[in-house]
Amino acid sequence: MNIYSTEAPQALILMLLAFFLFLTRGNAQDTLVPAVITFGDSAVDVGNNNYLPTLFKANYPPYGRDFVNHQPTGRFCNGKLATDITAETLGFKSYAPAYLSPQASGKNLLIGANFASAASGYDEKAAMLNVSLKLHAIPLSQQLNYFKEYQSKLAKVAGSNKSASIIKDALYILSAGSSDFLQNYYVNPWINKAFTPEQYSSYLLGSFTSFIKGLYGLGARKIGVTSLPPLGCLPAARTIFGFQENGCVSRINNDAQAFNKRISSSAASLQKQLSGLKIVIFDIYKPLFDIVQSPSNSGFAEARRGCCGTGTVETTSLLCNPKSPGTCPNATQYVFWDSVHPSQAANQVLADALILEGIALIS
């Protein structure tokens, strides 16, 4: 077996990481980082949107049906997110809480916090428009403000010295960009008629750079940023935009790949500019694209539609809900849970790729 394959068992990956850390630090510890702190969108939201007046929620069945105690938590999945699996691989026994939840208090803050919000993204103007339309999400700028609050609360719980150490050595994860393209650019003629994909990408990359600099200024030093997935392969994109293609929507995938190249270049530039910064772009495009193209190679049977309902347009309360007809009995056979979000089984593949790419962040 190739130990560098994304198919390597999770236990083996953890063993390799623990041994790696032992060699580089001289001793092993229970968790490979003291905390995991997460920002971004629905791919990593663990329930912040439950506390907002918004349509973008996943705190009802059938979401969460394969999660702990079969309870929906606000995760846009049937079970665990890729970041949940990553936290387990890093040695955590529980997950950092959604910052807006009652659980985000006391000693729970010692392992980090999650500030992500479904429908959020790099486009702050779109975020403000969504608020005015009652489609609330927490903009990245506000997520940073919440992080400042978190630091104050953490210092009260852990003391200033330990708090500073946690902030410095924590792993930071950012997932954004998908909502900007799928919910804003491609469906809004006011944007896509005025700007080319390249021009819109430039605008988003400016916001990305500002966010990373802001996060760095607040003490973050180990930052992992997810690339865009193959947006044109998402069931919703195929349904809405792929009427002339049998497979993935190539023009949308091309835009995603172009953006990914540019964000990788921006990250490399930031690492040179900001002393002590370690930043890695996690490539989730290739592993997800490979699964979609050859699902049976990874044990999947269905990659064109999601498990929930018809699997072609359903997401959040818009059709993927307790009354959804035809929801599949076994989500492990499906690459996608709803028309936008991967299933837990696909998230496992993504998490394995993510943790291998992120070794540089935890050394």
Side-chain angles (χ1 to χ4, degrees), residues 66-85:
D66 300 314
F67 195 66
V68 180
N69 298 323
H70 310 291
Q71 292 295 316
T73 60
R75 288 167 170 81
F76 287 78
C77 186
N78 60 302
K80 299 173 185 176
L81 304 177
T83 44
D84 294 327
I85 299 167

Side-chain angles (χ1 to χ4, degrees), residues 122-123 177 180-181 199-209 259:
Y122 296 120
D123 192 336
D180 295 311
F181 281 97
Q199 290 171 329
Y200 189 63
S201 291
S202 295
Y203 167 62
L204 299 183
L205 289 166
S207 296
F208 162 75
T209 298
F259 180 85

Side-chain angles (χ1 to χ4, degrees), residues 24-362:
T24 54
R25 288 188 179 175
N27 58 71
Q29 58 187 48
D30 291 338
T31 58
L32 300 182
V33 292
V36 178
I37 298 173
T38 307
F39 303 88
D41 55 21
S42 62
V44 292
D45 183 357
V46 297
N48 282 306
N49 276 26
N50 297 351
Y51 305 93
L52 300 178
T54 179
L55 292 174
F56 300 119
K57 296 183 181 182
N59 58 343
Y60 47 81
Y63 288 98
R65 73 178 196 189
D66 300 314
F67 195 66
V68 180
N69 298 323
H70 310 291
Q71 292 295 316
T73 60
R75 288 167 170 81
F76 287 78
C77 186
N78 60 302
K80 299 173 185 176
L81 304 177
T83 44
D84 294 327
I85 299 167
T86 298
E88 291 175 353
T89 305
L90 293 173
F92 289 90
K93 306 302 182 185
S94 58
Y95 308 121
Y99 185 70
L100 297 186
S101 72
Q103 288 71 40
S105 61
K107 292 185 177 180
N108 290 339
L109 298 176
L110 294 174
I111 62 170
N114 185 301
F115 303 94
S117 173
S120 187
Y122 296 120
D123 192 336
E124 291 279 316
K125 293 179 180 178
M128 295 300 103
L129 176 61
N130 285 339
V131 168
S132 68
L133 296 175
K134 307 301 181 183
L135 301 174
H136 291 72
I138 306 170
L140 286 177
S141 57
Q142 181 58 41
Q143 292 183 34
L144 270 186
N145 289 333
Y146 282 145
F147 178 52
K148 294 178 187 177
E149 289 184 4
Y150 163 80
Q151 290 182 321
S152 297
K153 294 178 181 179
L154 181 65
K156 292 178 181 178
V157 174
S160 58
N161 289 339
K162 185 176 180 180
S163 173
S165 177
I166 291 173
I167 295 300
K168 175 179 177 291
D169 293 328
L171 172 62
Y172 295 81
I173 297 176
L174 170 62
S175 169
S178 295
S179 295
D180 295 311
F181 281 97
L182 288 180
Q183 294 171 201
N184 298 327
Y185 183 76
Y186 295 125
V187 299
N188 188 338
W190 293 102
I191 300 177
N192 59 48
K193 297 299 183 184
F195 303 100
T196 65
E198 292 76 17
Q199 290 171 329
Y200 189 63
S201 291
S202 295
Y203 167 62
L204 299 183
L205 289 166
S207 296
F208 162 75
T209 298
S210 296
F211 179 85
I212 296 299
K213 287 182 176 179
L215 189 58
Y216 175 87
L218 293 173
R221 292 298 181 269
K222 303 175 181 180
I223 306 174
V225 183
T226 61
S227 70
L228 290 183
L231 296 175
C233 295
L234 305 185
R238 288 188 178 197
T239 301
I240 299 170
F241 305 106
F243 53 91
Q244 293 180 332
E245 298 184 58
N246 291 325
C248 302
V249 185
S250 56
R251 68 177 178 89
I252 293 179
N253 276 353
N254 291 340
D255 291 344
Q257 289 178 297
F259 180 85
N260 289 343
K261 289 179 180 178
R262 295 183 68 184
I263 201 171
S264 292
S265 178
S266 294
S269 177
L270 284 166
Q271 185 157 290
K272 292 178 181 178
Q273 293 175 35
L274 304 175
S275 176
L277 175 66
K278 293 182 178 180
I279 183 168
V280 171
I281 301 298
F282 296 131
D283 176 19
I284 62 171
Y285 183 99
K286 186 180 186 304
L288 189 55
F289 182 78
D290 288 346
I291 298 174
V292 170
Q293 293 300 103
S294 302
S296 61
N297 289 350
S298 300
F300 294 95
E302 178 58 69
R304 294 183 60 86
R305 60 190 180 92
C307 171
C308 190
T310 67
T312 55
V313 292
E314 294 89 344
T315 184
T316 71
S317 60
L318 301 175
L319 304 182
C320 186
N321 54 49
K323 297 181 180 180
S324 298
T327 297
C328 74
N330 186 1
T332 61
Q333 298 295 305
Y334 282 68
V335 175
F336 296 99
W337 164 246
D338 60 21
S339 69
V340 173
H341 304 98
S343 65
Q344 175 178 290
N347 280 332
Q348 178 68 64
V349 177
L350 296 178
D352 288 348
L354 182 151
I355 201 71
L356 289 173
E357 292 175 355
I359 287 178
L361 293 176
I362 60 176

